[in-house]
Amino acid sequence: HYLGLFDRVLNDDQLAVYDQIIDTFTFINRLLAGDPLRPRFQEYARAVLRPAFDRVGWDPKPGEPPGTMSLRASLIHGLGVLNDSDIIAGCRSRFDAYLSDPAMVPPDLRPAIFAVVGRYADSSTWEKLHKLGLKTASTEEKQYLYEALASAIEPKLITRTIALALTDELPTSRATMLLPFAARHGEHPELVWRYAQQHMKALLAKQDALGVDGYAAGLFTFFSNPNDAETLERYAKANLPPSAARAVAKAVDEIGFRAEFKERLVPQLKAWIEKSRAVAASLR
């Protein structure tokens, strides 16, 4: 039902509509990490979003509506996450231009471009992003750059990024958010949890009183395997105070929802994509 609504709502390039769809697609994309259906879903999702990007393009046009730049940024980020090779290449070339002259990249597009570049970064690109993050005096730009580091999907780079949480490079409140951000966007929450277990005392020392009880449980809300709920419950029983029970129950509930939703989603999505292909073939 949801996917069937697209033909009715995608004609006007409304930012709110596209943001909702992109959020849904990226959620599904994360849920399908490691699933053989994922490349087919990404292909379908790109086909839905790409016409809008082709209309707005990379560069602002004279007289374009005020919200178009925000739509452009959302589409760049969404298509980048969905593995659009043209968008990824465009982000990399603009990042290289930014390194030579920051004025070459509009400020409104920098967060999206940094995020896509960070997601597919190699060690050299990670170093460039990190150096920029260390050097910038802008609090806002520092946040975007460290979030780009935490978006990396290469396991070795995830490990390097989350280790920064225990340095003095970021304010305490932002440093501790590196781990949940990497768990959400880096697609290897098990790596993040392993690191957190080893350094939990130091990580909790950076939390305020309200954050302590929910920090460990919060790292599990990005899992979708019922076994992970059992892992959290065992850890909580042995290591967390009774005051953490509510956060643990919430995380267990989230894992259960994701597991159930994925089980329901995959066959429905597979059938929809096959139906869409058949319709497209009949129209050729």
Side-chain angles (χ1 to χ4, degrees):
H1 291 300
Y2 179 87
L3 299 179
L5 292 172
F6 288 165
D7 289 341
R8 304 183 187 183
V9 300
L10 291 184
N11 296 325
D12 298 328
D13 291 350
Q14 294 293 317
L15 174 63
V17 172
Y18 273 96
D19 275 351
Q20 206 286 325
I21 293 169
I22 291 168
D23 285 348
T24 301
F25 279 174
T26 53
F27 173 79
I28 293 172
N29 189 61
R30 282 194 298 270
L31 203 62
L32 293 178
D35 192 286
L37 180 62
R38 193 192 210 189
R40 293 171 60 192
F41 167 71
Q42 290 179 336
E43 181 184 6
Y44 165 77
R46 292 195 302 265
V48 171
L49 298 177
R50 188 58 192 255
F53 179 78
D54 291 340
R55 289 192 293 272
V56 302
W58 284 98
D59 302 311
K61 301 174 180 62
E64 71 178 18
T68 302
M69 183 62 89
S70 296
L71 175 61
R72 181 177 291 114
S74 291
L75 289 165
I76 288 169
H77 187 235
L79 285 164
V81 168
L82 292 164
N83 206 26
D84 186 302
S85 57
D86 292 340
I87 296 295
I88 295 169
C91 287
R92 285 172 171 161
S93 68
R94 284 160 178 80
F95 178 66
D96 289 340
Y98 177 88
L99 293 174
S100 301
D101 179 6
M104 295 292 290
V105 179
D108 289 342
L109 295 186
R110 291 174 192 174
I113 288 173
F114 292 161
V116 174
V117 169
R119 178 176 176 82
Y120 302 102
D122 57 14
S123 182
S124 174
T125 302
W126 190 96
E127 292 286 358
K128 292 173 184 176
L129 286 164
H130 187 213
K131 187 178 293 185
L132 287 172
L134 289 171
K135 183 174 68 174
T136 183
S138 166
T139 302
E140 185 179 41
E141 193 145 291
K142 183 180 285 286
Q143 177 180 341
Y144 296 147
L145 288 160
Y146 278 81
E147 286 180 352
L149 294 174
S151 297
I153 56 176
E154 165 57 46
K156 291 181 180 179
L157 298 182
I158 293 173
T159 302
R160 291 177 68 182
T161 298
I162 58 180
L164 300 178
L166 296 181
T167 70
D168 296 325
E169 294 181 18
L170 291 169
T172 300
S173 60
R174 295 192 184 277
T176 56
M177 292 307 296
L178 278 178
L179 271 71
F181 196 94
R184 179 185 182 89
H185 296 279
E187 301 185 355
H188 294 282
E190 71 285 351
L191 293 181
V192 178
W193 173 240
R194 195 178 307 140
Y195 180 88
Q197 278 186 281
Q198 294 168 356
H199 301 90
M200 189 62 75
K201 185 176 180 180
L203 289 166
L204 291 181
K206 288 177 171 279
Q207 293 291 314
D208 59 25
L210 293 176
V212 168
D213 286 345
Y215 189 74
L219 297 174
F220 274 82
T221 57
F222 312 111
F223 286 94
S224 57
N225 189 319
N227 293 336
D228 296 312
E230 296 174 6
T231 298
L232 172 58
E233 290 175 323
R234 286 195 301 271
Y235 179 84
K237 185 176 181 179
N239 299 279
L240 299 181
S243 54
R246 183 176 180 181
V248 170
K250 184 177 179 180
V252 168
D253 185 65
E254 178 68 19
I255 294 169
F257 163 74
R258 286 170 175 261
E260 187 275 334
F261 182 61
K262 183 176 179 179
E263 185 177 359
R264 244 185 330 116
L265 174 73
V266 169
Q268 292 182 17
L269 196 56
K270 188 180 297 184
W272 176 267
I273 292 171
E274 290 172 355
K275 178 183 175 182
S276 298
R277 286 180 171 176
V279 171
S282 70
L283 295 175
R284 292 194 185 106

